Amino acid sequence: MEELGVEPEEEGGRDEEEDAAMERAEAGVSVGSPVHDQVVPAESSSSRVIVHVDLDCFYAQVEMISNPELKGKPLGVQQKYLVVTCNYEARELGVKKLMNVRDAKEKCPQLVLVNGEDLTRYREMSYKVTELLEEFSPVVERLGFDENFVDLTEMVEQRLQQLQSDDLAALTGSGHVYDNQSINLNDVLHIKLLVGSQIAAEMREAMYNQLGLTGCAGVASNKLLAKLVSGVFKPNQQTVLLPESSQALIRSLKHIKEMPGIGYKTAKRLEALGISSVYDLQTFSSKILEKELGITVAQRIQKLSFGEDNSPVTPSGPPQSFSEEDSFKKCSSEVEAKSKIEELLASLLNRVCQDGRKPHTIRLIIRRYSSEKHCSRESRQCPIPSHIIQKLGTGSYDAMTPMVDILMKLFRNMVNVKMPFHLTLLSVCFCNLKALNTAKKGTIDYYLTPSLSTTSRSGKRSFNWKFEYMIVKILSRSLNTYLPIFCLSAA
């Protein structure tokens, strides 16, 4: 997954423990002799066909599409003092993601750097990819800007119904098979996964032909395994995982931190229990794990260790929040913080204007300086007053001043401005987005605001004005009031 420096997720940034809930399990192979209080993997595997699509060096690709002269050159996308991503030409010369710009230039003097702090073009291209994938299956779940899960189960079933027995006998997959496992055409799940690999190849071909983008794909029976196997062969390749190889894939992880769904905090707690490998987690006492982490978390992560994941692919739909964030080496004054907050807010107000929905909650997030590699964030949020909500999305900046005042109050709730402080990140998030047509009938706002009949991911809206209804009501009331008077006068 592309490590996005300024805004890692369209949905506004999630806690690692919340992210963990996305990944669970469903294709296990028993290991050794189970202890009485250990989790035993399920014997039957899922019949689903899930594809994980991961775009290659996404930001860099978008830049090369915008400027074809950059193709073939070592390219890095810069945000502040970091190279947040780079193309494969740069990687071959020693440049890595999240490398300091100065270090990257030393490694590769000919490195071309482009400014990637404005996420608009990346965001727009990201949604184009999702919309293209939805042409293959309506069940598409976004994961950041450059990853999507696609549930192809129904489409695979439809294709199998169209195949004749002779076609099945000659069925072949597309791309790699993990661990070079032999394919059994008498196994229904093997056949489904092969068909899924063919559709995955078609999706990748469409992405390249229509958008100019390349990416990797993993085909498996659940989201966890599809995500893990998609990164085995890179770039611009795909891999199918047959259920018998799931344990080999899971055990290939060098540390539990590499397991999707196990965040930094959980990994630290597991390490404190002496658990560092997947095998450690598989064989650890479930009773002790439940006592230390709680039943829900313990059962979830232990199932993950066996490759079990029952979580559905959930269509994302329009984002439920908008966020903009800025990272920096140091922010240590209230004046500087306010200036950065104003910049972030201005960008958010523009996005709200394009989207058409109105936020009802605002959140401020900060990150304090820490010598540790992993730094936790703090946040405060509050409802947006109704009189300010009315001003949002109108294209007017009347809302800027009162919104900045609200954000600075949230800032002072977290930061004692009378004492020295050192921040390295600020983020502003609009949450609880609601369409305009949620206004109650009978209020003037209901009739004077456009109905958001459709909102495309690019922000374009189609309007269904309610003026006709309002005019009919006014004329009706006017006739009821004045017609009797006119008749009396005439008499």
Side-chain angles (χ1 to χ4, degrees), residues 22-34:
M22 185 196 69
E23 311 288 356
R24 297 183 182 90
E26 191 161 271
V29 178
S30 58
V31 288
S33 301

Side-chain angles (χ1 to χ4, degrees), residues 150-433:
V150 187
D151 190 332
L152 293 179
T153 308
E154 189 172 328
M155 190 175 183
V156 167
E157 294 284 358
Q158 291 172 356
R159 290 209 179 179
L160 284 175
Q161 290 174 6
Q162 297 169 1
L163 290 176
Q164 303 296 324
S165 57
D166 293 341
D167 297 327
L168 283 174
L171 186 67
T172 59
S174 180
H176 304 274
V177 176
Y178 183 78
D179 211 19
N180 292 317
Q181 184 188 330
S182 58
I183 297 167
N184 180 6
L185 291 179
N186 293 317
D187 189 315
V188 176
L189 185 52
H190 281 213
I191 293 173
K192 288 182 178 180
L193 291 170
L194 288 183
V195 175
S197 74
Q198 293 177 347
I199 300 172
E202 293 169 15
M203 293 192 297
R204 291 173 52 241
E205 183 179 13
M207 283 196 311
Y208 182 74
N209 291 337
Q210 297 181 36
L211 301 175
L213 293 168
T214 64
C216 297
V219 185
S221 58
N222 64 49
K223 289 164 65 177
L224 168 67
L225 297 175
K227 181 174 172 63
L228 285 174
V229 81
S230 67
V232 173
F233 291 97
K234 288 189 172 186
N236 194 26
Q237 299 180 68
Q238 67 178 60
T239 312
V240 62
L241 177 72
L242 301 178
E244 294 83 356
S245 298
S246 62
Q247 282 300 296
L249 175 64
I250 290 289
R251 295 259 185 108
S252 71
L253 301 180
K254 296 177 182 178
H255 197 281
I256 51 170
K257 291 186 292 187
E258 298 176 15
M259 177 80 70
I262 296 182
Y264 175 84
K265 294 178 181 177
T266 303
K268 282 292 185 184
R269 296 175 71 182
L270 291 174
E271 287 175 341
L273 294 172
I275 301 171
S276 60
S277 70
V278 170
Y279 182 76
D280 291 340
L281 183 54
Q282 287 179 337
T283 56
F284 196 80
S285 166
S286 59
K287 288 185 178 179
I288 297 176
L289 202 62
E290 289 172 6
K291 182 179 179 181
E292 294 293 330
L293 303 179
I295 295 175
T296 303
V297 173
Q299 291 182 353
R300 176 181 60 77
I301 64 173
Q302 207 155 33
K303 286 180 179 179
L304 282 178
S305 71
F306 287 106
E308 299 179 31
D309 179 7
N310 293 317
S311 63
V313 175
T314 307
S316 303
Q320 296 306 302
S321 63
F322 292 143
S323 69
E324 295 283 350
E325 67 180 42
D326 192 7
S327 57
F328 30 79
K329 289 185 177 180
K330 187 176 184 180
C331 173
S332 56
S333 74
E334 186 177 8
V335 173
E336 187 180 3
K338 183 177 180 181
S339 175
K340 293 182 182 297
I341 286 172
E342 287 173 340
E343 291 178 12
L344 298 172
L345 182 60
S347 178
L348 279 180
L349 289 173
N350 182 53
R351 289 175 64 185
V352 166
C353 188
Q354 293 177 353
D355 181 80
R357 294 173 296 163
K358 294 193 176 186
H360 286 62
T361 304
I362 189 165
R363 179 187 303 142
L364 180 68
I365 302 153
I366 67 169
R367 184 179 66 201
R368 301 179 193 272
Y369 172 78
S370 173
S371 57
E372 292 186 14
K373 185 176 180 180
H374 180 86
C375 306
S376 59
R377 302 183 179 194
E378 303 171 46
S379 66
R380 294 288 187 279
Q381 67 181 43
C382 69
I384 301 173
S386 57
H387 68 281
I388 298 178
I389 292 175
Q390 293 174 5
K391 297 177 182 179
L392 296 173
T394 61
S396 167
Y397 277 79
D398 293 342
M400 175 67 87
T401 300
M403 290 298 290
V404 170
D405 291 341
I406 292 172
L407 287 165
M408 291 311 296
K409 288 180 181 177
L410 295 176
F411 180 82
R412 286 187 283 268
N413 280 338
M414 291 185 283
V415 179
N416 184 352
V417 295
K418 295 180 181 179
M419 299 291 290
F421 62 88
H422 183 172
L423 303 181
T424 58
L425 178 140
L426 282 166
S427 175
V428 178
C429 178
F430 278 153
C431 320
N432 193 14
L433 293 163

